[in-house]
């Protein structure tokens, strides 16, 4: 029971790891969305804690600049921003983006909250985007903060920097000459002005755009105007109301004097309201070296801003899509873990419960037999569930490979049907099988085909009442794909059927119309999900038709390449369900093997004890090697023929079973190199059996050990060598 619990725990952890890896894809998408951000970081809205450094796109550590060391709080970032003389605006109003405001916005249905931060000392404007989503595990709101610089119009700046630099270098001559140079070099600006910070006057150099009231077009004798009144008139009559406060600060004469004193430039964007609507403008102020004057240039940047807005909208839509994907993945993960926990706990409860009852009734033989039977039944169901979970994991992780070989299609279908003939007869179900495939030799991935049809036929057997009928018909039809043979297989029954509502979800993981209590049938709810993924992988289609009380019909369409001139490949191993040899016969042949010496390579002491006990009770001489490395060393040490067989675990420390087998097969002593080796592993899928044979092993036995399978594999291997 402890071994079973350990196996379940490991497999669940593996599945959770694989599900978690899916979220790396969503994280990479968010990283792409924030590529043009100055910086981005995350914090817990419920606690305010920021557990990571705020690193900018150029590697600048903003948290270090602000004097903060993780973990710090979102409030400390707000305080640091205030100390930089910055104001935060939301919808044109001054409003700090506190945790309370963000939480209220989230509660009102907003997942993306936007604001602007204006830094008075340099005129920069940052657009702040707060993306909020709930963590399904903790219930806390996690906020992704993205900061972008919307005050810089890089393209325009690059085009004009060279001209403006020349302008600064040549502004020490006469004012007339200065005006001539400025006019020549400012052709990219709609409006250019000279601002005298001493006299507090403004002069027009260029006026192409309708932007200012009360100013004459340049020409003739230079005319100057009172700077304060012109600015006030312009701001009040043209600047968009939400930008008025900002532009008063930008255009204030004290700001112009600061530009002169610091010999610095000031650049930014704002909005202008004209008759035909709202427009975006860029301002740029440059000091004239050696004077108390500033050159001011204004440029319409509607196209640039609109492109930026379009880009931001696309990014926002992409971000919303990423959020939807992440939330759906979170929901899927939660539902998967819930369903898996429920389905695993059901048989585990029976195993534990009947084990306790077994301990209490050791003197009652009838009860002991009944409890052991029920424990075995629950164990088989649990093992089936684990195998299906691992199979789903293998398919979703992309570890499934296409293995098409030239095969007789009739042989494949016969092998599948042979599994069910006796079971159908035992349940008094009429089983009709028919093949109308014209081309006998086709390329097929027989393992995946077997898994598809065994799952569907298994359900038909399970949900068809005694006296019912199951039909399995394969038919070759005209192909709609050039060079490929189209085979349509129909499995139809007149069983209990399914509702129309359930059919919409039949291929989802853990999807069942009724639980085991309602239907009286035990199932994992993963079979049809596996079938759909395998059919899709093979490039085929599957359709389902069903009606409650009338039965179900599954139609599987697969495409195959012709193999008429190829040598047919036969399976090198068979499943125990497919053999026609009776277990009694195998048991008699197995007893004749008593006295053979077997080396068990197994790192888990409990598993080793079980294998050794079973073999010794059957009359074998058994020795133990703790891992693959010791197994190879023991084979090297003993004389050839000392051991008759190795039962080799696949996953072991120091050296795994595959590597150990490879080394043994390459030994110079041929008798030692040819010793029969059988894989004993929890990797129980058909592909794992093939992997064992490809590695040079002679057979495969899955864990937990089954006496019937053990007998058959050992007899088959010993009789072949």
């Amino acid at each position: 029971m402890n071994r079973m619990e350990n196996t379940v725990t490991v497999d669940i952890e593996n599945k959770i790891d694989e599900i978690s890896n899916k979220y790396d894809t969503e994280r990479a998408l968010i990283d792409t969305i924030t590529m043009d951000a100055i910086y981005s970081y995350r914090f817990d809205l419920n606690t305010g804690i920021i557990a990571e450094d705020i690193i900018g796109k150029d590697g600048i550590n903003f948290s270090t600049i602000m004097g903060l060391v993780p973990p710090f709080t979102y409030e400390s970032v707000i305080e640091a921003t205030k100390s930089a003389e910055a104001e935060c605006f939301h919808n044109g109003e001054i409003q700090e983006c506190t945790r309370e405001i963000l939480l209220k916005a989230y509660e009102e249905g907003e997942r993306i909250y936007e604001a602007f931060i204006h830094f008075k000392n340099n005129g920069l404007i940052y657009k702040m985007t707060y993306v909020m989503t709930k963590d399904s595990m903790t219930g806390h709101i996690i906020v992704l903060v993205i900061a972008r610089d919307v005050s810089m119009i890089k393209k325009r700046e690059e085009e004009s920097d060279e001209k403006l630099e020349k302008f600064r270098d040549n502004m020490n001559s006469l004012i007339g000459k200065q005006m001539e140079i400025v006019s020549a070099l400012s052709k990219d600006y709609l409006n250019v002005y000279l601002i005298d910070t001493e006299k507090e006057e403004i002069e027009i150099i260029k006026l192409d755009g309708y932007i200012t009231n009360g100013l004459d077009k340049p020409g003739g004798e230079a005319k100057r105007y009172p700077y304060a009144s012109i600015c006030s008139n312009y701001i009040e009559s043209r600047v968009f109301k939400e930008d008025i406060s900002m532009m008063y600060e930008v255009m204030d004469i004290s700001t112009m004097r600061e530009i002169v004193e610091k010999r610095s430039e000031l650049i930014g964007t704002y909005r202008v309201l004209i008759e035909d609507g709202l427009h975006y403008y860029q301002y740029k102020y440059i000091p004239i070296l050696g004077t108390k004057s500033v050159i001011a240039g204004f440029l319409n940047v509607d196209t640039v801003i609109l492109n930026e807005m379009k880009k931001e909208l696309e990014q926002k839509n992409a971000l919303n899509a990423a959020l939807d994907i992440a939330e759906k993945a979170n929901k899927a993960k939660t539902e998967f873990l819930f369903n898996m926990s429920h389905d695993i706990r059901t048989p585990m409860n029976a195993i534990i419960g009947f084990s306790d009852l077994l301990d209490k009734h050791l003197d009652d033989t009838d009860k002991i037999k009944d409890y052991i039977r029920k424990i075995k039944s629950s164990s088989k169901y649990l093992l089936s569930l684990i195998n299906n979970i691992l199979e789903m994991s293998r398919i979703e992780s992309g570890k499934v490979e296409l293995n098409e070989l030239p095969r007789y299609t009739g042989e494949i279908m016969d092998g599948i049907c042979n599994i069910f003939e006796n079971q159908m007869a035992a349940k008094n179900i009429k089983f009709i099988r028919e093949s109308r495939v014209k081309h006998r030799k086709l390329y097929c991935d027989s393992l995946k085909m077997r898994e598809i049809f065994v799952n569907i036929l298994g359900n038909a057997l399970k949900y068809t009442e005694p006296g019912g009928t199951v039909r399995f018909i394969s038919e070759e039809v005209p192909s709609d794909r050039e060079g490929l043979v189209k085979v349509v297989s129909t499995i139809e029954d007149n069983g209990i059927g399914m509702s129309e509502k359930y059919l919409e979800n039949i291929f989802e993981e853990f999807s069942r119309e009724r639980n085991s209590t309602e239907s009286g049938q035990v199932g994992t709810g993963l079979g049809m999900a596996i079938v759909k993924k395998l059919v899709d992988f093979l490039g085929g289609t599957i359709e389902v038709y069903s009606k409650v009380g009338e039965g179900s019909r599954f139609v599987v369409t697969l495409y195959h390449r012709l193999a008429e001139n190829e040598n047919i490949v036969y399976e090198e191993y068979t499943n125990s369900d497919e053999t026609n040899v009776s277990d009694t016969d195998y048991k008699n042949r197995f007893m004749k093997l008593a006295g053979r010496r077997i080396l068990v390579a197994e790192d888990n002491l409990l598993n080793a004890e079980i294998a050794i006990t079973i073999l010794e009770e059957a009359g074998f001489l058994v020795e133990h090697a703790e891992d693959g490395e010791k197994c190879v060393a023991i084979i090297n040490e003993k004389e050839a023929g000392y051991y008759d067989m190795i039962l080799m675990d696949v996953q072991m420390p120091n050296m795994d079973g595959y590597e150990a087998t490879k080394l043994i097969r390459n030994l110079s002593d041929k008798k030692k190199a040819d010793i029969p080796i059988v894989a004993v592993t929890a990797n129980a899928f058909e592909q794992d059996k093939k992997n064992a044979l490809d590695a040079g092993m002679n057979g495969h036995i899955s864990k937990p050990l089954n006496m019937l399978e053990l007998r058959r594999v050992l007899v088959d291997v010993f009789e072949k060598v």
Side-chain angles (χ1 to χ4, degrees), residues 191-254:
N191 305 278
V192 181
Y193 307 92
L194 175 68
I195 302 167
D196 188 330
T197 62
E198 265 190 332
K199 297 181 179 180
E200 299 188 15
E201 293 177 339
I202 183 171
E203 179 181 334
I204 303 170
I205 296 174
K206 181 181 179 183
L207 190 61
D208 284 349
Y210 184 81
I211 189 172
T212 314
N213 286 344
L215 298 181
D216 297 330
K217 294 266 185 179
E221 184 179 351
K223 187 175 182 180
R224 295 197 170 193
Y225 304 88
Y227 179 72
S229 60
I230 291 297
C231 288
S232 177
N233 181 41
Y234 168 64
I235 291 172
E236 294 296 335
S237 62
R238 290 287 175 256
V239 175
F240 187 55
K241 63 178 182 179
E242 293 185 4
D243 294 342
I244 286 177
S245 176
M246 176 188 71
M247 289 306 294
Y248 265 120
E249 293 185 20
V250 169
M251 302 181 78
D252 190 80
I253 193 64
S254 62

Side-chain angles (χ1 to χ4, degrees), residues 41 43-50 54 66 68 71-83 96-103 130 145:
Y41 64 95
F43 73 94
D44 188 322
L45 184 58
N46 296 79
T47 63
I49 294 175
I50 303 175
I54 304 176
M66 291 186 285
L68 304 173
F72 48 90
T73 64
Y74 176 68
E75 285 78 3
S76 61
V77 175
I78 292 179
E79 289 302 317
T81 305
K82 288 181 180 178
S83 65
E96 297 295 341
C97 295
T98 62
R99 281 202 295 135
E100 292 75 17
I101 289 174
L102 293 175
L103 187 59
Y130 301 84
V145 183

Side-chain angles (χ1 to χ4, degrees), residues 656-718:
D656 64 37
Y658 291 143
E659 183 63 24
T661 299
K662 181 180 178 182
L663 291 176
I664 292 171
R665 294 299 184 225
N666 289 325
L667 292 175
S668 58
D669 188 326
K670 187 170 181 359
K671 191 171 181 180
K672 287 185 178 182
D674 290 341
I675 184 174
I677 302 175
V678 174
V680 182
T681 172
N683 301 326
F685 300 108
E686 297 291 350
Q687 185 63 44
D688 298 313
K689 296 179 183 180
K690 184 176 184 302
N691 292 341
L693 296 176
D694 291 343
M697 298 181 179
N698 302 84
H700 176 282
I701 300 173
S702 60
K703 295 179 182 178
L705 285 179
N706 176 284
M707 195 61 192
L708 178 64
E709 183 183 14
L710 180 67
R711 284 195 198 112
R712 293 185 175 186
V713 173
L714 263 59
V715 167
D716 287 343
V717 172
F718 272 126

Side-chain angles (χ1 to χ4, degrees), residues 584-601:
T584 301
D585 182 51
Y586 266 107
K587 189 174 183 179
N588 294 332
R589 289 151 66 187
F590 181 72
M591 291 173 64
K592 295 177 182 179
L593 301 175
R596 303 286 182 101
R597 190 183 302 275
I598 296 178
L599 178 61
V600 175

Side-chain angles (χ1 to χ4, degrees), residues 81 134 175 214 218 313 385 435 531 600 650 652 663 695:
T81 305
K134 179 177 286 189
I175 295 296
L313 180 60
L385 175 62
S435 177
V531 165
V600 175
V650 171
M652 293 184 289
L663 291 176

